[in-house]
């Protein structure tokens, strides 16, 4: 008798998880996204390597085996 009851409970829990739709706080999401965008734009790290690194022959993205 135990297996049928256990399977029914597992099925019920799976349905609850599958169809659960929590309320989304869109203003909190907007604040969080704005915060992460601001951190990226104000980053002091350059997007591309400096010209000194390029002229030295070191390219960290160079494909060593593709030649």
């Amino acid at each position: 008798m135990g297996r049928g009851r256990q399977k029914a409970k597992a099925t019920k829990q799976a349905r609850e998880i599958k169809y659960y739709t929590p309320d989304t706080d869109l203003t909190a999401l907007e604040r969080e996204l704005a915060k992460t965008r601001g951190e990226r734009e104000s980053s002091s790290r350059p997007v591309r390597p400096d010209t000194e690194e390029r002229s030295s022959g070191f390219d960290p993205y160079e494909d060593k085996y593709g030649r």
Side-chain angles (χ1 to χ4, degrees), residues 46-54 58-61:
V47 177
R48 292 183 151 194
D50 292 2
T51 55
E52 295 172 353
E53 291 179 12
R54 281 191 246 152
F58 175 73
D59 185 10
Y61 304 109

mmCIF file with all atom_site columns, all heavy atoms in Angstrom, residues 46-54 58-61:
data_model
loop_
_atom_site.group_PDB
_atom_site.id
_atom_site.type_symbol
_atom_site.label_atom_id
_atom_site.label_alt_id
_atom_site.label_comp_id
_atom_site.label_asym_id
_atom_site.label_entity_id
_atom_site.label_seq_id
_atom_site.pdbx_PDB_ins_code
_atom_site.Cartn_x
_atom_site.Cartn_y
_atom_site.Cartn_z
_atom_site.occupancy
_atom_site.B_iso_or_equiv
_atom_site.pdbx_formal_charge
_atom_site.auth_seq_id
_atom_site.auth_comp_id
_atom_site.auth_asym_id
_atom_site.auth_atom_id
_atom_site.pdbx_PDB_model_num
ATOM 1   N N   . PRO A 1 46 ? 39.928 47.927 -18.713 1.00 0.00 ? 46 PRO A N   1
ATOM 2   C CA  . PRO A 1 46 ? 39.709 48.191 -20.135 1.00 0.00 ? 46 PRO A CA  1
ATOM 3   C C   . PRO A 1 46 ? 39.080 46.986 -20.822 1.00 0.00 ? 46 PRO A C   1
ATOM 4   O O   . PRO A 1 46 ? 39.293 45.842 -20.426 1.00 0.00 ? 46 PRO A O   1
ATOM 5   C CB  . PRO A 1 46 ? 41.117 48.445 -20.683 1.00 0.00 ? 46 PRO A CB  1
ATOM 6   C CG  . PRO A 1 46 ? 42.025 47.776 -19.720 1.00 0.00 ? 46 PRO A CG  1
ATOM 7   C CD  . PRO A 1 46 ? 41.343 47.823 -18.380 1.00 0.00 ? 46 PRO A CD  1
ATOM 8   N N   . VAL A 1 47 ? 38.293 47.262 -21.848 1.00 0.00 ? 47 VAL A N   1
ATOM 9   C CA  . VAL A 1 47 ? 37.608 46.200 -22.568 1.00 0.00 ? 47 VAL A CA  1
ATOM 10  C C   . VAL A 1 47 ? 38.588 45.431 -23.439 1.00 0.00 ? 47 VAL A C   1
ATOM 11  O O   . VAL A 1 47 ? 38.570 44.226 -23.509 1.00 0.00 ? 47 VAL A O   1
ATOM 12  C CB  . VAL A 1 47 ? 36.464 46.792 -23.419 1.00 0.00 ? 47 VAL A CB  1
ATOM 13  C CG1 . VAL A 1 47 ? 35.797 45.706 -24.232 1.00 0.00 ? 47 VAL A CG1 1
ATOM 14  C CG2 . VAL A 1 47 ? 35.461 47.482 -22.523 1.00 0.00 ? 47 VAL A CG2 1
ATOM 15  N N   . ARG A 1 48 ? 39.491 46.139 -24.097 1.00 0.00 ? 48 ARG A N   1
ATOM 16  C CA  . ARG A 1 48 ? 40.487 45.503 -24.960 1.00 0.00 ? 48 ARG A CA  1
ATOM 17  C C   . ARG A 1 48 ? 41.877 45.626 -24.330 1.00 0.00 ? 48 ARG A C   1
ATOM 18  O O   . ARG A 1 48 ? 42.132 46.548 -23.579 1.00 0.00 ? 48 ARG A O   1
ATOM 19  C CB  . ARG A 1 48 ? 40.516 46.189 -26.321 1.00 0.00 ? 48 ARG A CB  1
ATOM 20  C CG  . ARG A 1 48 ? 39.260 45.956 -27.095 1.00 0.00 ? 48 ARG A CG  1
ATOM 21  C CD  . ARG A 1 48 ? 39.395 46.577 -28.427 1.00 0.00 ? 48 ARG A CD  1
ATOM 22  N NE  . ARG A 1 48 ? 38.583 45.822 -29.362 1.00 0.00 ? 48 ARG A NE  1
ATOM 23  C CZ  . ARG A 1 48 ? 38.668 45.918 -30.652 1.00 0.00 ? 48 ARG A CZ  1
ATOM 24  N NH1 . ARG A 1 48 ? 39.524 46.751 -31.186 1.00 0.00 ? 48 ARG A NH1 1
ATOM 25  N NH2 . ARG A 1 48 ? 37.900 45.207 -31.427 1.00 0.00 ? 48 ARG A NH2 1
ATOM 26  N N   . PRO A 1 49 ? 42.791 44.741 -24.665 1.00 0.00 ? 49 PRO A N   1
ATOM 27  C CA  . PRO A 1 49 ? 44.148 44.859 -24.126 1.00 0.00 ? 49 PRO A CA  1
ATOM 28  C C   . PRO A 1 49 ? 44.823 46.131 -24.640 1.00 0.00 ? 49 PRO A C   1
ATOM 29  O O   . PRO A 1 49 ? 44.514 46.631 -25.720 1.00 0.00 ? 49 PRO A O   1
ATOM 30  C CB  . PRO A 1 49 ? 44.867 43.619 -24.656 1.00 0.00 ? 49 PRO A CB  1
ATOM 31  C CG  . PRO A 1 49 ? 43.876 42.821 -25.399 1.00 0.00 ? 49 PRO A CG  1
ATOM 32  C CD  . PRO A 1 49 ? 42.605 43.574 -25.479 1.00 0.00 ? 49 PRO A CD  1
ATOM 33  N N   . ASP A 1 50 ? 45.735 46.641 -23.853 1.00 0.00 ? 50 ASP A N   1
ATOM 34  C CA  . ASP A 1 50 ? 46.465 47.846 -24.258 1.00 0.00 ? 50 ASP A CA  1
ATOM 35  C C   . ASP A 1 50 ? 47.333 47.567 -25.471 1.00 0.00 ? 50 ASP A C   1
ATOM 36  O O   . ASP A 1 50 ? 47.647 46.426 -25.799 1.00 0.00 ? 50 ASP A O   1
ATOM 37  C CB  . ASP A 1 50 ? 47.357 48.336 -23.118 1.00 0.00 ? 50 ASP A CB  1
ATOM 38  C CG  . ASP A 1 50 ? 46.543 48.863 -21.955 1.00 0.00 ? 50 ASP A CG  1
ATOM 39  O OD1 . ASP A 1 50 ? 45.303 48.806 -22.047 1.00 0.00 ? 50 ASP A OD1 1
ATOM 40  O OD2 . ASP A 1 50 ? 47.144 49.328 -20.986 1.00 0.00 ? 50 ASP A OD2 1
ATOM 41  N N   . THR A 1 51 ? 47.772 48.620 -26.140 1.00 0.00 ? 51 THR A N   1
ATOM 42  C CA  . THR A 1 51 ? 48.601 48.451 -27.335 1.00 0.00 ? 51 THR A CA  1
ATOM 43  C C   . THR A 1 51 ? 49.957 47.869 -26.972 1.00 0.00 ? 51 THR A C   1
ATOM 44  O O   . THR A 1 51 ? 50.575 47.185 -27.780 1.00 0.00 ? 51 THR A O   1
ATOM 45  C CB  . THR A 1 51 ? 48.792 49.798 -28.039 1.00 0.00 ? 51 THR A CB  1
ATOM 46  O OG1 . THR A 1 51 ? 49.316 50.746 -27.114 1.00 0.00 ? 51 THR A OG1 1
ATOM 47  C CG2 . THR A 1 51 ? 47.481 50.288 -28.607 1.00 0.00 ? 51 THR A CG2 1
ATOM 48  N N   . GLU A 1 52 ? 50.433 48.106 -25.754 1.00 0.00 ? 52 GLU A N   1
ATOM 49  C CA  . GLU A 1 52 ? 51.717 47.535 -25.343 1.00 0.00 ? 52 GLU A CA  1
ATOM 50  C C   . GLU A 1 52 ? 51.632 46.012 -25.300 1.00 0.00 ? 52 GLU A C   1
ATOM 51  O O   . GLU A 1 52 ? 52.549 45.321 -25.729 1.00 0.00 ? 52 GLU A O   1
ATOM 52  C CB  . GLU A 1 52 ? 52.108 48.053 -23.962 1.00 0.00 ? 52 GLU A CB  1
ATOM 53  C CG  . GLU A 1 52 ? 52.362 49.540 -23.919 1.00 0.00 ? 52 GLU A CG  1
ATOM 54  C CD  . GLU A 1 52 ? 52.554 50.024 -22.494 1.00 0.00 ? 52 GLU A CD  1
ATOM 55  O OE1 . GLU A 1 52 ? 52.362 49.246 -21.545 1.00 0.00 ? 52 GLU A OE1 1
ATOM 56  O OE2 . GLU A 1 52 ? 52.893 51.200 -22.352 1.00 0.00 ? 52 GLU A OE2 1
ATOM 57  N N   . GLU A 1 53 ? 50.538 45.487 -24.807 1.00 0.00 ? 53 GLU A N   1
ATOM 58  C CA  . GLU A 1 53 ? 50.374 44.041 -24.747 1.00 0.00 ? 53 GLU A CA  1
ATOM 59  C C   . GLU A 1 53 ? 50.277 43.443 -26.141 1.00 0.00 ? 53 GLU A C   1
ATOM 60  O O   . GLU A 1 53 ? 50.803 42.377 -26.403 1.00 0.00 ? 53 GLU A O   1
ATOM 61  C CB  . GLU A 1 53 ? 49.127 43.684 -23.951 1.00 0.00 ? 53 GLU A CB  1
ATOM 62  C CG  . GLU A 1 53 ? 49.242 43.977 -22.480 1.00 0.00 ? 53 GLU A CG  1
ATOM 63  C CD  . GLU A 1 53 ? 47.974 43.633 -21.728 1.00 0.00 ? 53 GLU A CD  1
ATOM 64  O OE1 . GLU A 1 53 ? 47.104 42.967 -22.331 1.00 0.00 ? 53 GLU A OE1 1
ATOM 65  O OE2 . GLU A 1 53 ? 47.857 44.038 -20.575 1.00 0.00 ? 53 GLU A OE2 1
ATOM 66  N N   . ARG A 1 54 ? 49.620 44.145 -27.048 1.00 0.00 ? 54 ARG A N   1
ATOM 67  C CA  . ARG A 1 54 ? 49.507 43.641 -28.415 1.00 0.00 ? 54 ARG A CA  1
ATOM 68  C C   . ARG A 1 54 ? 50.844 43.679 -29.136 1.00 0.00 ? 54 ARG A C   1
ATOM 69  O O   . ARG A 1 54 ? 51.168 42.784 -29.888 1.00 0.00 ? 54 ARG A O   1
ATOM 70  C CB  . ARG A 1 54 ? 48.481 44.461 -29.191 1.00 0.00 ? 54 ARG A CB  1
ATOM 71  C CG  . ARG A 1 54 ? 47.066 44.053 -28.854 1.00 0.00 ? 54 ARG A CG  1
ATOM 72  C CD  . ARG A 1 54 ? 46.110 44.672 -29.806 1.00 0.00 ? 54 ARG A CD  1
ATOM 73  N NE  . ARG A 1 54 ? 45.292 45.608 -29.032 1.00 0.00 ? 54 ARG A NE  1
ATOM 74  C CZ  . ARG A 1 54 ? 44.722 46.682 -29.485 1.00 0.00 ? 54 ARG A CZ  1
ATOM 75  N NH1 . ARG A 1 54 ? 44.852 47.011 -30.737 1.00 0.00 ? 54 ARG A NH1 1
ATOM 76  N NH2 . ARG A 1 54 ? 44.011 47.454 -28.713 1.00 0.00 ? 54 ARG A NH2 1
ATOM 77  N N   . PHE A 1 58 ? 52.115 38.968 -27.225 1.00 0.00 ? 58 PHE A N   1
ATOM 78  C CA  . PHE A 1 58 ? 51.309 38.136 -26.340 1.00 0.00 ? 58 PHE A CA  1
ATOM 79  C C   . PHE A 1 58 ? 49.841 38.382 -26.613 1.00 0.00 ? 58 PHE A C   1
ATOM 80  O O   . PHE A 1 58 ? 49.345 39.482 -26.501 1.00 0.00 ? 58 PHE A O   1
ATOM 81  C CB  . PHE A 1 58 ? 51.612 38.460 -24.877 1.00 0.00 ? 58 PHE A CB  1
ATOM 82  C CG  . PHE A 1 58 ? 50.723 37.727 -23.920 1.00 0.00 ? 58 PHE A CG  1
ATOM 83  C CD1 . PHE A 1 58 ? 50.898 36.373 -23.704 1.00 0.00 ? 58 PHE A CD1 1
ATOM 84  C CD2 . PHE A 1 58 ? 49.712 38.384 -23.254 1.00 0.00 ? 58 PHE A CD2 1
ATOM 85  C CE1 . PHE A 1 58 ? 50.062 35.699 -22.840 1.00 0.00 ? 58 PHE A CE1 1
ATOM 86  C CE2 . PHE A 1 58 ? 48.878 37.708 -22.383 1.00 0.00 ? 58 PHE A CE2 1
ATOM 87  C CZ  . PHE A 1 58 ? 49.061 36.361 -22.172 1.00 0.00 ? 58 PHE A CZ  1
ATOM 88  N N   . ASP A 1 59 ? 49.151 37.333 -27.022 1.00 0.00 ? 59 ASP A N   1
ATOM 89  C CA  . ASP A 1 59 ? 47.719 37.424 -27.250 1.00 0.00 ? 59 ASP A CA  1
ATOM 90  C C   . ASP A 1 59 ? 47.058 36.303 -26.454 1.00 0.00 ? 59 ASP A C   1
ATOM 91  O O   . ASP A 1 59 ? 47.195 35.124 -26.803 1.00 0.00 ? 59 ASP A O   1
ATOM 92  C CB  . ASP A 1 59 ? 47.397 37.276 -28.734 1.00 0.00 ? 59 ASP A CB  1
ATOM 93  C CG  . ASP A 1 59 ? 45.922 37.494 -29.032 1.00 0.00 ? 59 ASP A CG  1
ATOM 94  O OD1 . ASP A 1 59 ? 45.203 37.939 -28.121 1.00 0.00 ? 59 ASP A OD1 1
ATOM 95  O OD2 . ASP A 1 59 ? 45.500 37.236 -30.167 1.00 0.00 ? 59 ASP A OD2 1
ATOM 96  N N   . PRO A 1 60 ? 46.343 36.634 -25.371 1.00 0.00 ? 60 PRO A N   1
ATOM 97  C CA  . PRO A 1 60 ? 45.767 35.578 -24.540 1.00 0.00 ? 60 PRO A CA  1
ATOM 98  C C   . PRO A 1 60 ? 44.667 34.793 -25.249 1.00 0.00 ? 60 PRO A C   1
ATOM 99  O O   . PRO A 1 60 ? 44.342 33.690 -24.837 1.00 0.00 ? 60 PRO A O   1
ATOM 100 C CB  . PRO A 1 60 ? 45.195 36.325 -23.339 1.00 0.00 ? 60 PRO A CB  1
ATOM 101 C CG  . PRO A 1 60 ? 44.989 37.704 -23.826 1.00 0.00 ? 60 PRO A CG  1
ATOM 102 C CD  . PRO A 1 60 ? 46.051 37.950 -24.869 1.00 0.00 ? 60 PRO A CD  1
ATOM 103 N N   . TYR A 1 61 ? 44.108 35.329 -26.330 1.00 0.00 ? 61 TYR A N   1
ATOM 104 C CA  . TYR A 1 61 ? 43.030 34.656 -27.043 1.00 0.00 ? 61 TYR A CA  1
ATOM 105 C C   . TYR A 1 61 ? 43.514 33.973 -28.321 1.00 0.00 ? 61 TYR A C   1
ATOM 106 O O   . TYR A 1 61 ? 42.723 33.475 -29.085 1.00 0.00 ? 61 TYR A O   1
ATOM 107 C CB  . TYR A 1 61 ? 41.918 35.656 -27.390 1.00 0.00 ? 61 TYR A CB  1
ATOM 108 C CG  . TYR A 1 61 ? 41.402 36.344 -26.157 1.00 0.00 ? 61 TYR A CG  1
ATOM 109 C CD1 . TYR A 1 61 ? 41.675 37.682 -25.910 1.00 0.00 ? 61 TYR A CD1 1
ATOM 110 C CD2 . TYR A 1 61 ? 40.662 35.652 -25.220 1.00 0.00 ? 61 TYR A CD2 1
ATOM 111 C CE1 . TYR A 1 61 ? 41.211 38.311 -24.770 1.00 0.00 ? 61 TYR A CE1 1
ATOM 112 C CE2 . TYR A 1 61 ? 40.192 36.272 -24.078 1.00 0.00 ? 61 TYR A CE2 1
ATOM 113 C CZ  . TYR A 1 61 ? 40.478 37.595 -23.867 1.00 0.00 ? 61 TYR A CZ  1
ATOM 114 O OH  . TYR A 1 61 ? 40.015 38.198 -22.740 1.00 0.00 ? 61 TYR A OH  1
#
